[in-house]
Amino acid sequence: MGRQSGRVRAGRNGGNGLVIAVTGAASGVGRLLAARLAASDDVAEVVGLDDARGDVDGVTWRVMDLTDPAIVTRLAGVDAVVHAAVDIGITDDPAVRSHRNVRGTQTILTASAAAGVKHVAVLTSAMVYGAQPDNPVPLDEDAPLRAEPDGSIISDLLEIEDLSARAPRSHPGMSVTVVRPAAVVGPGVDTVLTRHFEAPRLLVVRGSEPAWQFCHVDDLASALEYVVLHDVAGPVAVGSDGHLDQATVEELSGRSRIELPASFAFGTAQRLHRLGVTPAPASELHYVTRPWVVAAERLRKAGWQPRYDNAEALRALMEEVGGRHALASRRIGKRDAATAATIGAAGATVAILGTAVVVRKARRRKRT
């Protein structure tokens, strides 16, 4: 398991406070983390690195492109870096996202080593383990990464993992901890997984046994804080204890299921993605139909505990997606809500293929 400290370590100059840099500190989990660190008595200074200035008080802001190698000048005197600027959200330009994710991680790791940073925590996702029908529940944190690179966010995450694994070998003296959360939920989170719950019904592949585990964004921020303050070695998984079965998820979410044969569900989803109708490839459906629950033992043994259980995290997710409507990860407007409800009630086949109809209607309205 490697290094693990039971106490907050001293800063670079032997003082009691660390100087910690956070990438992506202006928004999302980076913002939550920066606020936590700024309020900590164990932190002497928080350096916020982002392409825009954030609104967290007590942070020293350094505004710049995170893919610019000149960022090394902003890391002088920094003890630890948390690279939270990894985007797993839905975007209209996957190529831009991929460049920002992969090139940004490479730049941060190289610049951190050059600046003498001792510890870098890199945010990835438990999705790298892959969602496989034969996955044990839960997966051990040291389980092999069986996700398949497919040109989507999964490819980004696997490249980030590879960069993080190679960095300590290339730069002795710098440790790197990858932090892999379960399905992240909470305010501001918009992913393929959260949009699954914006649909009128929840897709279930016939014969599968989904197992749901969530990670509230507040818990993710507190876990990243714990990793960097206590120098926890990785890989580190983060998530609520245990998991929920599909029936419990349906009961708590108020969503019933639609059940499809695997060949039809994945084949249709892939065709819609190739046509540009849906933003996510069919492979990402695996993560809402197959288990990828993680044990998350390292942080617990180090002394960290999640605030949210899976049921509470799911309720927070449903509050966040209230009033939104999506089909096959494609968000649709209020004017299509009635259509979406009809599609969801009409049956399994129409539920997926009807996505194209809704999108065509929306595009015709835009043209007129």
Side-chain angles (χ1 to χ4, degrees), residues 68-332:
D68 185 347
I71 203 167
V72 66
T73 63
R74 305 298 196 267
L75 297 177
V78 169
D79 295 294
V81 173
V82 181
H83 183 40
V86 174
D87 182 7
I88 62 169
I90 292 177
T91 177
D92 291 330
D93 197 335
V96 171
R97 179 191 62 194
S98 181
H99 173 76
R100 197 166 53 232
N101 280 341
V102 177
R103 178 63 175 168
T105 301
Q106 183 180 46
T107 301
I108 291 298
L109 289 169
T110 302
S112 295
V117 174
K118 297 301 182 184
H119 185 200
V120 181
V122 178
L123 177 61
T124 67
S125 168
M127 296 173 79
V128 295
Y129 292 111
Q132 305 292 343
D134 60 346
N135 274 345
V137 178
L139 286 155
D140 184 86
E141 284 162 300
D142 291 319
L145 307 186
R146 297 203 291 161
E148 303 249 346
D150 56 5
S152 72
I153 184 61
I154 303 302
S155 295
D156 292 3
L157 292 170
L158 290 171
E159 285 196 62
I160 290 168
E161 289 272 348
D162 184 59
L163 289 167
S164 299
R166 287 192 279 116
R169 298 195 294 270
S170 302
H171 308 291
M174 183 180 76
S175 62
V176 179
T177 301
V178 290
V179 179
R180 302 167 178 165
V184 180
V185 299
V189 179
D190 180 22
T191 66
V192 169
L193 299 171
T194 62
R195 288 197 184 185
H196 179 69
F197 289 88
E198 295 180 23
R201 293 192 181 184
L202 302 180
L203 173 65
V204 176
V205 170
R206 191 167 298 158
S208 69
E209 295 184 9
W212 289 93
Q213 182 186 34
F214 301 101
C215 177
H216 194 280
V217 68
D218 288 346
D219 282 339
L220 178 54
S222 73
L224 288 167
E225 178 189 30
Y226 203 93
V227 164
V228 73
L229 290 184
H230 294 81
D231 206 18
V232 180
V236 171
V238 187
S240 299
D241 292 323
H243 66 279
L244 304 175
D245 61 24
Q246 182 67 24
T248 303
V249 165
E250 291 169 14
E251 179 183 355
L252 293 174
S253 67
R255 299 281 198 272
S256 58
R257 72 172 68 188
I258 54 171
E259 204 165 296
L260 298 175
S263 58
F264 178 81
F266 293 115
T268 304
Q270 191 58 35
R271 285 192 292 274
L272 291 176
H273 179 63
R274 282 201 303 267
L275 292 170
V277 174
T278 59
S283 58
E284 295 197 17
L285 276 180
H286 294 165
Y287 293 90
V288 299
T289 59
R290 297 174 178 175
W292 51 292
V293 176
V294 288
E297 287 296 322
R298 289 201 169 115
L299 272 177
R300 285 164 175 75
K301 288 180 179 177
W304 176 87
Q305 290 292 329
R307 174 184 166 192
Y308 290 82
D309 62 25
N310 281 301
E312 291 167 334
L314 176 56
R315 292 187 189 101
L317 166 60
M318 299 312 298
E319 288 177 10
E320 183 69 10
V321 303
R324 298 175 186 166
H325 306 278
L327 287 170
S329 302
R330 179 78 184 224
R331 187 168 287 159
I332 56 179

